[in-house]
Amino acid sequence: MEINDLTPAEQRVWRAFPTGVSVDFRESTDEDVAEGAQWGPERTVRAAVLRALLLNGPQEPGEIAALKVAGARITGLLDMPYGTAEFAIRLSHCHFDDVPMLYGARFRQLNLSNSVLPGLTAATVRVEGVLRLTDARIRGPVRLGGARIAGALFMDRTHLSAPDDSEPVLQLNHAEIGDDLWAPGMRSHGLVRLDGATVTGAVNLEEAEFHNPGSTAISALSFETGSDLRMRFARTHGRVDLRGSRVPARFDLTRAHLSNPEGTALRVSSCTVGELWLLRGVLDGVLNLRRAHLEVLYLDPEMLPDKVFLSDLTYTTLTPHEPAERRLHMLERDPRYEPHSYEQLTAAYRRIGDDYAARRVQLAKQRRLRTTRAWYGRLWGYVQDVTVGYGFHPLRAAVWLLSLLAVGSTAYALHHPHALKPSEAPHFNPVFYTLDLLLPVISFGQEEAFAPDGWYQYLSYGLIITGWILATTVVTGVTRTVSRQ
């Protein structure tokens, strides 16, 4: 391409390229780039001219060439599949008429900040430095699947939308980012796909908004980050799915609002997370933590939704410290009885020395187990609960025993049973006679010597049966407690 074939605007860009000088066509710094389709020829540059500069542009000895353009309308197709540009590229505040085709291209650095694009096709692109899409407005799919970015990817305050709901608005699946994925304040309308992507640094999605109601808003299956995943104050309408992902540091959802009322709001199943923070936010939908492995679970009980899946969830520490009654709500909201969930909560309390809370959790476990059994199993469970609290309230048996002893002693003191062999019978003692009836393995010689009649005989039958039930439940509860220790 010869310089004589260029428009005046294109000649400015061509002459600035060899020395890396910036060319700014903007009339003011606050103009709306979305109106770029109306810009005239004085600030219009053909994509073919940019392509020629990047692939074979003029250079000057001792100078560092770079393409730096602001406020231009770029017409035509920027077509560089598998092309290689050894120069830094900054096309900021620009309006693109067509979707740049950068599939498989190699760049030193690419900056499209504050620009308006109808989409971006750059799957498997290679960037030696950073890729910047800060404040960009992209009204079509952004295809970055399989991209290799040695530096960071900046998408802070980027707005993404697509007229076709069948395709994700952002595809970063199987991408590799050598530094951070920095996207606070990002807005997306459609699916954001991060499946199989790897980020060496942190992922910042604080105050971001993701809208895809009734479907998946963020899909990050088998996603890996080398540090934090921050979603503080984020808002999502649709499912957030991180199944099988790995976040070695903090996954922070403090004050986040995740909404998917008809399905799963957050899925962290089979994930490995250092610290999961669910504090002072809202979860409107199912929370799925099945098979997740967490070192620390920071959980605000008020953030729990109505339904939680906890099968095989493991965690070392549960914080902040709350009474067992407030933590048990999480286990009760799992539709299925999961004994492992109760054991995990018990272990968390024992690690901090709160044995009382640990016993409360174990008692709740037995009561939940009772609901899964047949009627006779439930009946026996109620007996154990009322009498000795499944072994966690052994003093309750003493209260029952003393109460029955008082009843029996009073009744038989007022009406002595007759002696079977008056000449051989010992002196009648109503207290020890009642104890003989209540205690199945201890004999004071009273029961064998005296026989009540009338309703007092039925009282003796009741005391004998009650004594056996108390003895059996005490032994069962003590055995359960000892085996647990």
Side-chain angles (χ1 to χ4, degrees):
M1 182 172 289
E2 299 294 334
I3 193 169
N4 294 331
D5 300 328
L6 306 179
T7 66
E10 293 169 347
Q11 289 181 16
R12 287 183 59 188
V13 175
W14 192 277
R15 292 192 176 99
F17 175 80
T19 56
V21 174
S22 298
V23 179
D24 193 345
F25 292 103
R26 289 178 295 173
E27 296 176 355
S28 66
T29 57
D30 60 350
E31 63 184 13
D32 188 358
V33 183
E35 299 176 358
Q38 310 301 320
W39 294 341
E42 72 282 357
R43 55 191 304 184
T44 299
V45 178
R46 289 172 293 168
V49 175
L50 303 181
R51 181 179 187 275
L53 284 172
L54 292 173
L55 296 180
N56 195 26
Q59 299 186 51
E60 292 186 10
E63 298 292 342
I64 301 175
L67 180 60
K68 300 178 181 179
V69 179
R73 177 189 178 187
I74 300 174
T75 60
L77 176 63
L78 181 56
D79 188 16
M80 288 189 61
Y82 301 104
T84 299
E86 300 293 339
F87 318 104
I89 303 170
R90 187 179 70 199
L91 300 171
S92 62
H93 300 86
C94 292
H95 186 282
F96 288 76
D97 285 0
D98 293 292
V99 178
M101 302 294 290
L102 308 178
Y103 184 92
R106 294 177 178 269
F107 301 108
R108 175 165 294 179
Q109 183 170 314
L110 181 59
N111 186 342
L112 301 175
S113 297
N114 298 97
S115 293
V116 173
L117 302 91
L120 177 62
T121 298
T124 70
V125 70
R126 302 292 188 270
V127 182
E128 295 178 10
V130 300
L131 172 56
R132 292 184 182 272
L133 296 171
T134 300
D135 288 306
R137 283 172 282 177
I138 307 177
R139 299 166 179 170
V142 177
R143 303 181 180 97
L144 289 168
R148 302 291 183 269
I149 302 169
L153 171 58
F154 292 94
M155 300 188 71
D156 30 326
R157 299 177 301 281
T158 302
H159 284 229
L160 304 173
S161 60
D164 185 2
D165 294 338
S166 63
E167 186 173 2
V169 293
L170 174 61
Q171 298 180 38
L172 267 172
N173 43 299
H174 303 289
E176 294 182 6
I177 300 173
D179 203 331
D180 296 339
L181 170 54
W182 205 256
M186 187 176 80
R187 305 287 185 270
S188 71
H189 294 268
L191 170 62
V192 172
R193 175 167 289 164
L194 305 171
D195 299 346
T198 301
V199 179
T200 302
V203 177
N204 188 340
L205 301 176
E206 294 182 352
E207 300 183 1
E209 295 185 10
F210 303 88
H211 299 268
N212 201 19
S215 187
T216 301
I218 302 176
S219 178
L221 311 183
S222 300
F223 174 77
E224 291 192 21
T225 177
S227 184
D228 295 337
L229 171 53
R230 306 173 199 163
M231 292 185 65
R232 295 167 58 91
F233 298 94
R235 301 181 66 87
T236 64
H237 296 272
R239 180 170 59 249
V240 177
D241 194 347
L242 283 89
R243 176 164 48 93
S245 295
R246 183 178 180 275
V247 182
R250 180 189 303 181
F251 180 15
D252 194 347
L253 287 159
T254 302
R255 298 191 183 277
H257 189 139
L258 279 59
S259 176
N260 190 29
E262 303 303 319
T264 300
L266 176 62
R267 185 180 186 184
V268 195
S269 56
S270 302
C271 288
T272 301
V273 181
E275 300 177 5
L276 176 58
W277 290 49
L278 294 169
L279 300 174
R280 298 185 293 279
V282 176
L283 273 172
D284 184 10
V286 177
L287 171 61
N288 189 338
L289 296 173
R290 287 173 174 163
R291 300 176 301 280
H293 297 273
L294 316 174
E295 286 296 322
V296 181
L297 175 57
Y298 286 83
L299 177 62
D300 184 355
E302 279 73 24
M303 195 171 174
L304 284 171
D306 293 335
K307 186 179 290 186
V308 182
F309 295 142
L310 301 170
S311 176
D312 293 323
L313 166 68
T314 60
Y315 51 87
T316 303
T317 303
L318 178 62
T319 192
H321 180 63
E322 296 277 359
E325 290 75 10
R326 285 173 56 79
R327 290 301 186 192
L328 284 169
H329 289 306
M330 176 175 69
L331 280 55
E332 293 165 356
R333 295 180 188 188
D334 193 329
R336 295 179 55 187
Y337 165 63
E338 296 288 347
H340 179 265
S341 301
Y342 288 87
E343 295 302 325
Q344 279 288 295
L345 184 55
T346 299
Y349 277 122
R350 284 179 175 159
R351 270 190 288 270
I352 61 174
D354 193 344
D355 292 332
Y356 173 79
R359 290 194 299 270
R360 295 289 298 173
V361 174
Q362 285 296 310
L363 178 58
K365 174 187 174 183
Q366 295 301 322
R367 289 172 174 169
R368 182 77 180 274
L369 174 61
R370 183 175 68 208
T371 65
T372 67
R373 291 180 167 169
W375 67 269
Y376 47 85
R378 292 197 298 273
L379 178 60
W380 177 240
Y382 280 117
V383 171
Q384 293 187 77
D385 197 355
V386 171
T387 54
V388 293
Y390 286 99
F392 296 102
H393 298 289
L395 291 179
R396 191 179 295 175
V399 174
W400 277 99
L401 182 63
L402 291 174
S403 300
L404 293 172
L405 178 61
V407 171
S409 299
T410 302
Y412 292 119
L414 295 175
H415 185 86
H416 289 196
H418 64 272
L420 295 176
K421 296 180 180 181
S423 61
E424 301 177 4
H427 176 71
F428 178 75
N429 186 305
V431 175
F432 284 96
Y433 180 74
T434 305
L435 283 174
D436 253 356
L437 297 174
L438 284 172
L439 302 178
V441 295
I442 298 176
S443 176
F444 295 99
Q446 295 280 315
E447 182 182 359
E448 296 83 358
F450 300 93
D453 54 15
W455 75 269
Y456 294 98
Q457 184 177 11
Y458 292 106
L459 174 61
S460 68
Y461 295 157
L463 291 173
I464 292 171
I465 294 172
T466 305
W468 274 104
I469 292 175
L470 280 173
T472 305
T473 53
V474 168
V475 170
T476 302
V478 171
T479 302
R480 183 185 297 115
T481 304
V482 171
S483 63
R484 201 162 28 244
Q485 298 297 328

